Amino acid sequence: MPTISIGRDRLFAALGESYTQEEFEDLCFRFGIELDDVTTEKAIIRKEKHIEEEADEDEEIIYKIEIPANRYDLLCLEGLAQALRVFNKKQEIPTYILADISKDKMLQMNVKPETSTIRPFVVCAVLRGVSFDEARYNSFIDLQDKLHQNICRRRSLVAIGTHDLDTLQGPFTYEALPPTDINFVPLKQTKSFRADELMEFYKSDMKLKKFLHIIENSPVFPVLYDSKRTVLSLPPIINGAHSAITLQTKNVFIECTATDLTKAKTVLNTMVTTFSEYCERKFEIEPVEVTYDDGKSYIYPDLAVYDMEVSLSYITDSIGVSLEVEQVTSLLTRMQLHAEPAKSSDNQCAIKVHVPPSRSDVLHPCDVMEDVAIAYGFNNLPTRSPASIKPLPLNELTDLLRIEIAMNVYTEVVTWLLCSRKENFAMLNREDDNSAVIIANPRSADFEAMRRTLMPGILKTVGSNKDHPKPIKIYEISDVAMLDESKDVGASNRRHLVALHCGATSGFELIHGLVDRIMEVMAIPFVPVNDNTGYYIKLSQEPEFLPGRQASIVVRGKQIGNFGIVHPQVLNNFDIPDPCSFVEIDVEALL
């Protein structure tokens, strides 16, 4: 979960009350967040630079607070302080409104059709009469950085641009041009760069180089202009220096370009609702009209309140506390959710919840129920046992198989769910047929795919313990991942069982015996080949096993696994000097 760093004294000033550390930790717990660390800014710098110095008594105390990943409104001091003030009943829930401005006087953003090939959406808003000081300015910039790392997915989904509106002249245009046609002075620079030159320039910049890949291979780059062809920004890389905001900025123009419109609207709403409290007209935001080439136009930001009806019985049954409607509405008010009694379609008591634009995390009745539980107090919820604690059939069978295999003197191991593509295929003598679930952004080559078999993990275990006294008899029952187009995520898990014997001899007869024992305890009789009433084995041709020393296990006409002597080349790939026998069975097929 994200962690934000806030000056203690400034936070307490915003809350209108001072706390001891223990009192503030208790407040955080009651609100569903956590005080993760207490430090100072200089201490953070000393830690980063590995400097050993004594702390000064006058160093500002910094609170590092861990917040839920979906609470974007809490990513800065302003949002957190407001939420805690409402929670402590020291402030009413803010009502955010759009400035009453006619359409002909509204700022315009015209979107060119070429943007659809790279970054098709843009949403905008204006904060008028903003009062910045250094702390507020730093918080404004920090919120953008936090959002970029969080919901914006490192600017790949959304990129935020903030500008001093008084330095620009509307209407604005959002275009996509060849990089050689774009020239401007980027933020914190004094010389003009062509966009393709800028890509090379920022390849040595530690902060910005990680965003270059988003557009650098595209034939066109997204760019925003004002009516005088002044560049506002080159999203998602850098803003222009001309419109940079400063402590003297009074009118802030915010634009969010995106590949995901829903997330762009969420990001824009978070920015404007959080900092509109510093506007001359508190909590008022000036809208901007965005017009596309097909003639369709939209007014942003969308500050509409989302209404949701939640059954009272759903809330009370879920948290295990009997509450009246008035109690629930009062608790939701403390969590920044307007609520009122209502009647459901079946004439049962219900709560009508009005979700403000700042609470984009409230999507389902369970989110409302969670807020009621937080406001009621987790420590106040009664402890109770579930009505049924019977395990799922698959887990129950897994536990029974674990006991049975352990009684056959096998030791259980637990291996990584992720492996390399090489371990999935080449090291098992298999062709890479693209049947593995691949990780889109792996941290290393060792963890770039989901395992499609448990074999690599258990062989790596033996290879790392080859000096262990022989024989080595180990097993694992765990999940593998398979591509599955019938699932909405494109993949599904399957529970597999594997066992391995490694010693002076292959131990093939021991593995065969284990297979027979598993079938015996599953009450599956051994039958002649092609008899679908029980199980039988037949010769197989799997490349990871020695030819002629392997077999498939067929249960009721369906192949559920294989066993045999591991191929010497596979053993060599995993640096195993001794012969091994191995079995792998699909446990779910036994249910």
Side-chain angles (χ1 to χ4, degrees):
M1 294 197 295
T3 299
I4 59 174
S5 299
I6 297 177
R8 181 196 62 183
D9 296 342
R10 187 162 170 253
L11 175 60
F12 288 173
L15 293 176
E17 184 177 351
S18 294
Y19 298 85
T20 65
Q21 184 176 323
E22 292 74 18
E23 289 170 341
F24 187 72
E25 284 179 339
D26 179 65
L27 174 61
C28 289
F29 177 80
R30 288 187 285 114
F31 186 64
I33 58 180
E34 182 181 357
L35 179 60
D36 187 54
D37 191 18
V38 179
T39 182
T40 68
E41 189 170 349
K42 291 182 179 178
I44 295 172
I45 295 172
R46 288 195 295 268
K47 185 176 181 180
E48 290 175 348
K49 295 184 177 180
H50 305 286
I51 300 173
E52 294 185 6
E53 290 182 3
E54 292 293 327
D56 296 333
E57 291 184 3
D58 60 344
E59 290 185 17
E60 182 187 11
I61 302 298
I62 302 293
Y63 278 176
K64 288 191 171 184
I65 302 171
E66 191 176 86
I67 65 171
N70 61 343
R71 289 298 301 269
Y72 313 119
D73 57 312
L74 304 181
L75 284 171
C76 64
L77 179 142
E78 287 75 11
L80 178 62
Q82 178 179 279
L84 290 176
R85 288 195 302 267
V86 174
F87 183 73
N88 285 334
K89 302 181 181 179
K90 292 186 175 182
Q91 178 184 331
E92 297 294 323
I93 303 174
T95 299
Y96 303 101
I97 60 172
L98 290 177
D100 186 12
I101 181 171
S102 61
K103 207 168 183 181
D104 59 323
K105 293 183 179 179
M106 203 177 290
L107 279 173
Q108 305 287 320
M109 173 66 76
N110 299 306
V111 183
K112 300 297 183 181
E114 295 80 12
T115 58
S116 62
T117 63
I118 183 167
R119 210 170 180 84
F121 305 110
V122 62
V123 296
C124 313
V126 176
L127 296 177
R128 290 278 183 185
V130 178
S131 298
F132 277 130
D133 57 25
E134 187 174 356
R136 292 176 181 180
Y137 175 85
N138 291 337
S139 184
F140 186 69
I141 300 301
D142 189 54
L143 176 59
Q144 294 178 59
D145 289 339
K146 288 286 195 302
L147 291 171
H148 276 150
Q149 294 299 315
N150 194 332
I151 185 175
C152 299
R153 295 295 184 269
R154 298 193 174 188
R155 307 189 190 182
S156 61
L157 298 182
V158 185
I160 310 165
T162 54
H163 313 275
D164 187 335
L165 184 59
D166 296 332
T167 66
L168 301 169
Q169 183 68 50
F172 305 100
T173 58
Y174 176 42
E175 306 178 21
L177 301 173
T180 53
D181 294 349
I182 303 170
N183 285 273
F184 71 105
V185 180
L187 196 64
K188 297 182 180 179
Q189 301 298 323
T190 55
K191 96 176 230 195
S192 180
F193 287 83
R194 212 170 56 203
D196 54 339
E197 297 172 342
L198 203 58
M199 294 294 108
E200 291 299 320
F201 179 74
Y202 282 130
K203 282 183 179 178
S204 59
D205 188 291
M206 292 301 294
K207 182 179 179 181
L208 295 178
K209 69 177 182 180
K210 54 191 174 187
F211 307 122
L212 301 181
H213 71 277
I214 302 173
I215 64 168
E216 67 176 336
N217 295 322
S218 172
V220 292
F221 287 1
V223 60
L224 290 103
Y225 290 100
D226 74 351
S227 60
K228 296 181 178 179
R229 300 303 287 175
T230 301
V231 172
L232 278 70
S233 65
L234 182 75
I237 310 302
I238 193 74
N239 290 346
H242 180 82
S243 58
I245 63 171
T246 66
L247 295 180
Q248 286 71 46
T249 297
K250 292 299 179 184
N251 301 308
V252 179
F253 179 70
I254 304 174
E255 43 84 6
C256 300
T257 58
T259 57
D260 186 313
L261 180 59
T262 300
K263 285 184 168 51
K265 292 194 288 187
T266 298
V267 169
L268 183 65
N269 284 351
T270 301
M271 290 292 300
V272 298
T273 56
T274 301
F275 282 90
S276 59
E277 69 170 288
Y278 296 141
C279 289
E280 187 176 1
R281 295 183 177 179
K282 207 170 183 181
F283 304 126
E284 181 180 279
I285 299 101
E286 182 178 315
V288 175
E289 183 179 18
V290 177
T291 304
Y292 287 85
D293 192 62
D294 59 5
K296 293 181 179 179
S297 66
Y298 305 89
I299 305 297
Y300 296 111
D302 180 6
L303 299 181
V305 173
Y306 169 52
D307 291 337
M308 179 190 300
E309 193 173 277
V310 185
S311 166
L312 177 63
S313 60
Y314 169 76
I315 295 174
T316 56
D317 290 349
S318 298
I319 68 177
V321 178
S322 180
L323 297 171
E324 298 297 328
V325 173
E326 292 74 15
Q327 291 176 285
V328 173
T329 56
S330 177
L331 293 171
L332 287 173
T333 299
R334 296 183 64 196
M335 301 302 293
Q336 298 175 286
L337 297 175
H338 288 287
E340 60 188 18
K343 289 290 184 181
S344 62
S345 56
D346 56 357
N347 209 32
Q348 298 294 316
C349 287
I351 311 294
K352 189 172 185 180
V353 182
H354 307 288
V355 183
S358 56
R359 289 297 307 275
S360 61
D361 59 297
V362 180
L363 304 172
H364 186 275
C366 68
D367 299 314
V368 176
M369 176 272 295
E370 180 187 25
D371 273 7
V372 173
I374 291 172
Y376 184 80
F378 287 138
N379 281 343
N380 299 324
L381 297 178
T383 303
R384 57 177 181 165
S385 299
S388 172
I389 56 174
K390 185 178 180 181
L392 294 172
L394 178 60
N395 291 338
E396 193 171 19
L397 175 59
T398 297
D399 291 339
L400 292 173
L401 287 173
R402 279 196 176 100
I403 295 171
E404 188 60 43
I405 299 173
M407 291 171 64
N408 282 267
V409 203
Y410 282 78
T411 301
E412 185 174 15
V413 297
V414 179
T415 62
W416 297 110
L417 181 65
L418 301 179
C419 64
S420 67
R421 295 188 69 146
K422 187 178 179 182
E423 290 167 350
N424 251 337
F425 297 101
M427 293 178 70
L428 299 181
N429 287 351
R430 288 189 173 275
E431 293 290 330
D432 189 343
D433 56 3
N434 295 315
S435 61
V437 178
I438 304 302
I439 307 301
N441 53 344
R443 288 290 183 178
S444 72
D446 294 329
F447 302 108
E448 59 186 358
M450 304 281 283
R451 60 188 179 189
R452 53 189 294 281
T453 167
L454 297 179
M455 194 174 197
I458 207 162
L459 288 175
K460 285 168 69 177
T461 301
V462 175
S464 299
N465 294 274
K466 52 182 174 287
D467 294 330
H468 192 280
K470 304 298 185 297
I472 297 175
K473 297 172 67 177
I474 55 177
Y475 79 97
E476 180 175 10
I477 306 181
S478 194
D479 287 355
V480 299
M482 305 287 189
L483 292 176
D484 188 346
E485 293 183 357
S486 67
K487 302 295 183 181
D488 57 350
V489 295
S492 60
N493 292 351
R494 296 287 294 183
R495 185 69 50 83
H496 278 202
L497 176 158
V498 295
L500 179 140
H501 177 283
C502 176
T505 61
S506 69
F508 179 78
E509 68 283 357
L510 297 176
I511 288 295
H512 192 172
L514 181 63
V515 172
D516 291 339
R517 178 57 184 165
I518 291 171
M519 296 302 159
E520 182 182 356
V521 298
M522 292 297 300
I524 302 174
F526 182 78
V527 295
V529 175
N530 296 326
D531 185 336
N532 294 339
T533 61
Y535 87 96
Y536 59 86
I537 61 173
K538 64 177 183 178
L539 189 66
S540 63
Q541 300 293 331
E542 302 297 336
E544 62 263 37
F545 295 114
L546 201 61
R549 296 293 185 271
Q550 56 177 292
S552 297
I553 306 166
V554 182
V555 173
R556 303 184 185 96
K558 181 180 179 182
Q559 182 176 323
I560 67 162
N562 298 283
F563 68 97
I565 300 175
V566 182
H567 197 287
Q569 182 57 52
V570 173
L571 295 177
N572 185 60
N573 292 339
F574 287 92
D575 196 24
I576 300 174
D578 301 297
C580 297
S581 287
F582 174 87
V583 61
E584 183 158 11
I585 296 173
D586 184 347
V587 174
E588 295 187 38
L590 297 175
L591 285 173

